[in-house]
Amino acid sequence: MASSSEPKQSSTTKNNDNHLPLKQIPGSYGLPFIGPIFDRHDYFYNQGRDKFFSTRIQKYNSTIFRTNMPPGPFISSNPRVIALLDAASFPILFDNKKVEKHNVFDGTFMPSTNFTGGYRVCAQLDTTEPNHALIKGFFLNQLLLRKDSFIPLFRSILSEAFNEIEEGLSGKSGKADFNTIFSVASFNFMFRLFCDNKDPSETKLGSQGPKMCDTWILFQLFPIETLKLPKIFNYLEDLLLRTLPFPACLTSSSYKKLYEAFSSSAVTLLNEAEKAGLKRSEACHQLIFIACFNSYGGFKNQFPTLFKLVGLSGQELHRELATEIRTIVKQEGGVTIQALEKMPLVKSVVYETMRIEPIVRYQYAKAREDLIVESHDAAFEVKKGEMLFGYQSFATKDPRIFDDAEVFVPKRFVGEGEKLLKYVLWSNGKETDEPSVDNKQCPGKNLVVLLCRLFLVEFFLRYDTFTFETKEAVVGVSITITSLTKASTT
């Protein structure tokens, strides 16, 4: 069943104007030290992430409650959070007048700044810190200056990626590793975009850039991830990943090569950064984080997710996408921004992917002041300094907002369904909002949406349908393509 065009119940989060009953926040943090470890084991091993939250919603009969979030002892000194698990309460995390985001990008702990050259990156800065506006404004401007490069550059890289997939399918195995190919494609795009179109293979990185990024990212995130090993290794994994934070020296060699490659290649951008008032070295470290952690790290997971959901939807959706894409491209005389804007099904499929499996699942913020936070049914008092935690996968699958909330509905945002876009929250803001220096919304929000649409367009210009195999990965999903059917019409 398709989604209704209006949510079943309006959501408000700012104050208690709706005269909802004021209640105590349910839940418990348990005994010091022991409580956080018990919650951590439930989260990673005993229940798993989604069941961890769903069982507590049922237990407390509330989508807002107190709990502990990983990593806990000994890495995090204070793992206590107030969980917000519905579409009504979640948006308060975007209200920078009421919440602050100083060093909460990774949640209740912060990796050492030695991972980023000794600098706090823009994602760790609160909007009230002067450097936030300077850094974010600079990179927003740099993206704007490069907007005409987005489509031709990514189309070129996609063509190379699809050729490599076809080569894999024609080989002995008859299969192609989608993730590896698109990890390289994602890294190459971001590097060339910011580095005067220089290919990373022309630097000391060679072909190792994606692997270096992966290592550097994972060592920062290990305390809040699981390797998904057999159960017999659960306690050993917990001991290794969450006893002490990983030191940056473990990835210093890879990071040094990344820094040298970006420093010597992003000449135009770094020159402009100095003119804007940023130290050249700091600008380069900020660039690496934005290009490698934020962008590459997101794309390498988002493309497999998009491919999986489209694949699982079957050949009827493939036919509809191919028809829409080929018709509009023919009418417009090519693949352009204007053409992409005239493809409602393509747009809806991308938004639905971001709704049902968002790139970033978690958001954190601390209350700047005493607050009232509202769910659909009740209001709750939050004290200044308390940590708010939003699990986006529950907020964007809120059954009070979306029909068939757990189901991937490709046409959910077509026509009147566009009114529901304000409940798509993947970018640390509503899809109907725009990133600015005054908020914490992803500066590349519109670029991510554009490239996901462009991926579908290029794929279905070239192919009619496909088959694939999928399995869980440490982060995201692993895709192996088993067949491609070349386009029967153009």
Side-chain angles (χ1 to χ4, degrees):
M1 181 173 66
S3 166
S4 59
S5 61
E6 290 292 343
K8 297 179 181 179
Q9 179 170 325
S10 63
S11 71
T12 57
T13 61
K14 304 297 184 184
N15 49 51
N16 198 13
D17 290 341
N18 287 343
H19 305 293
L20 294 170
L22 189 63
K23 297 183 178 180
Q24 290 284 330
I25 300 175
S28 169
Y29 299 122
L31 295 172
F33 188 80
I34 297 174
I37 291 179
F38 280 170
D39 281 348
R40 185 170 81 200
H41 282 215
D42 281 346
Y43 180 87
F44 285 120
Y45 309 121
N46 300 332
Q47 296 175 317
R49 181 177 54 212
D50 285 11
K51 191 173 181 182
F52 176 88
F53 295 116
S54 63
T55 55
R56 283 158 178 76
I57 289 174
Q58 294 172 2
K59 178 180 179 180
Y60 303 126
N61 193 28
S62 175
T63 50
I64 296 178
F65 55 82
R66 298 182 183 275
T67 188
N68 298 290
M69 281 298 292
F74 294 94
I75 293 176
S76 171
S77 61
N78 184 6
R80 298 179 173 189
V81 303
I82 298 168
L84 313 177
L85 304 179
D86 58 68
S89 59
F90 194 96
I92 200 168
L93 294 162
F94 310 146
D95 189 342
N96 294 299
K97 294 180 180 178
K98 294 187 176 182
V99 301
E100 59 102 353
K101 298 197 174 184
H102 178 89
N103 292 346
V104 300
F105 177 72
D106 297 290
T108 60
F109 90 111
M110 177 178 168
S112 169
T113 56
N114 290 333
F115 280 103
T116 51
Y119 294 99
R120 290 170 61 227
V121 293
C122 189
Q124 299 285 8
L125 301 176
D126 184 59
T127 53
T128 60
E129 298 180 70
N131 253 19
H132 179 270
L134 175 61
I135 296 167
K136 188 172 183 182
F138 172 74
F139 282 102
L140 283 171
N141 186 54
Q142 291 301 308
L143 286 170
L144 182 62
L145 290 173
R146 288 162 173 77
K147 62 182 176 58
D148 292 336
S149 301
F150 296 160
I151 289 180
L153 176 58
F154 196 55
R155 290 191 75 193
S156 172
I157 287 173
L158 283 174
S159 180
E160 294 171 4
F162 293 146
N163 287 339
E164 191 172 348
I165 288 173
E166 290 179 18
E167 288 176 13
L169 292 175
S170 64
K172 290 183 179 180
S173 69
K175 297 180 179 181
D177 183 344
F178 181 95
N179 292 63
T180 298
I181 292 170
F182 271 86
S183 288
V184 173
S186 299
F187 181 81
N188 287 355
F189 174 80
M190 295 312 305
F191 192 91
R192 289 173 61 181
L193 181 68
F194 288 121
C195 296
D196 299 334
N197 203 28
K198 188 173 184 178
D199 194 286
S201 64
E202 300 172 15
T203 72
K204 292 182 180 180
L205 294 175
S207 62
Q208 298 303 305
K211 291 182 180 179
M212 292 177 183
C213 283
D214 291 343
T215 302
W216 174 67
I217 293 170
L218 284 173
F219 271 94
Q220 294 176 73
L221 297 182
F222 268 145
I224 53 175
E225 294 292 346
T226 175
L227 301 176
K228 299 175 183 176
L229 300 172
K231 288 186 177 181
I232 192 173
F233 297 112
N234 284 352
Y235 291 102
L236 176 62
E237 178 198 272
D238 195 55
L239 184 67
L240 291 175
L241 298 188
R242 285 172 277 277
T243 300
L244 294 171
F246 285 88
C249 63
L250 295 176
T251 64
S252 60
S253 177
S254 294
Y255 188 74
K256 182 180 179 182
K257 291 178 181 177
L258 286 169
Y259 182 87
E260 290 173 349
F262 276 93
S263 181
S264 63
S265 303
V267 176
T268 302
L269 183 144
L270 295 177
N271 287 343
E272 291 300 316
E274 286 187 305
K275 293 178 184 177
L278 280 168
K279 292 181 180 178
R280 196 176 188 88
S281 61
E282 179 177 6
C284 191
H285 289 295
Q286 297 284 354
L287 171 61
I288 294 171
F289 194 87
I290 287 173
C292 297
F293 196 114
N294 289 145
S295 303
Y296 161 77
F299 285 133
K300 78 184 297 286
N301 293 316
Q302 189 64 17
F303 290 131
T305 299
L306 176 60
F307 196 74
K308 178 195 72 172
L309 292 172
V310 170
L312 292 175
S313 295
Q315 292 191 19
E316 182 178 351
L317 175 61
H318 301 174
R319 283 192 294 270
E320 291 179 340
L321 284 168
T323 299
E324 177 180 87
I325 289 165
R326 295 169 196 176
T327 300
I328 298 299
V329 169
K330 185 176 180 180
Q331 289 174 354
E332 294 294 312
V335 178
T336 62
I337 292 287
Q338 292 77 16
L340 294 175
E341 284 299 316
K342 295 180 179 180
M343 299 177 184
L345 180 57
V346 169
K347 290 195 287 186
S348 181
V349 166
V350 170
Y351 289 137
E352 179 69 345
T353 298
M354 292 172 170
R355 180 195 74 84
I356 204 162
E357 291 194 33
I359 303 172
V360 179
R361 296 180 182 273
Y362 318 113
Q363 296 294 343
Y364 287 85
K366 286 185 179 178
R368 290 192 194 275
E369 57 189 42
D370 292 350
L371 302 174
I372 298 292
V373 180
E374 295 181 5
S375 67
H376 292 294
D377 303 311
F380 303 89
E381 291 183 320
V382 174
K383 298 298 183 183
K384 179 180 179 180
E386 289 193 289
M387 181 77 90
L388 299 172
F389 159 77
Y391 183 41
Q392 192 172 146
S393 296
F394 274 35
T396 56
K397 289 187 281 190
D398 187 337
R400 302 282 285 270
I401 301 298
F402 295 103
D403 291 332
D404 296 326
E406 299 287 337
V407 178
F408 181 77
V409 181
K411 297 180 182 179
R412 189 182 296 276
F413 299 103
V414 172
E416 288 294 304
E418 287 191 54
K419 294 178 181 179
L420 293 168
L421 283 176
K422 61 184 176 181
Y423 300 105
V424 177
L425 312 170
W426 68 272
S427 62
N428 197 12
K430 299 176 182 178
E431 190 59 38
T432 50
D433 294 339
E434 291 297 328
S436 75
V437 297
D438 298 318
N439 63 33
K440 295 296 294 181
Q441 191 165 27
C442 173
K445 169 213 167 195
N446 294 325
L447 176 60
V448 173
V449 173
L450 172 69
L451 296 190
C452 287
R453 292 179 190 172
L454 190 54
F455 169 83
L456 291 179
V457 168
E458 289 298 309
F459 185 87
F460 284 105
L461 284 175
R462 191 161 177 158
Y463 309 106
D464 282 340
T465 189
F466 62 97
T467 60
F468 69 104
E469 298 169 351
T470 182
K471 62 180 180 180
E472 276 194 283
V474 173
V475 178
V477 62
S478 176
I479 300 288
T480 300
I481 299 178
T482 54
S483 74
L484 291 172
T485 302
K486 288 287 187 70
S488 55
T489 60
T490 58

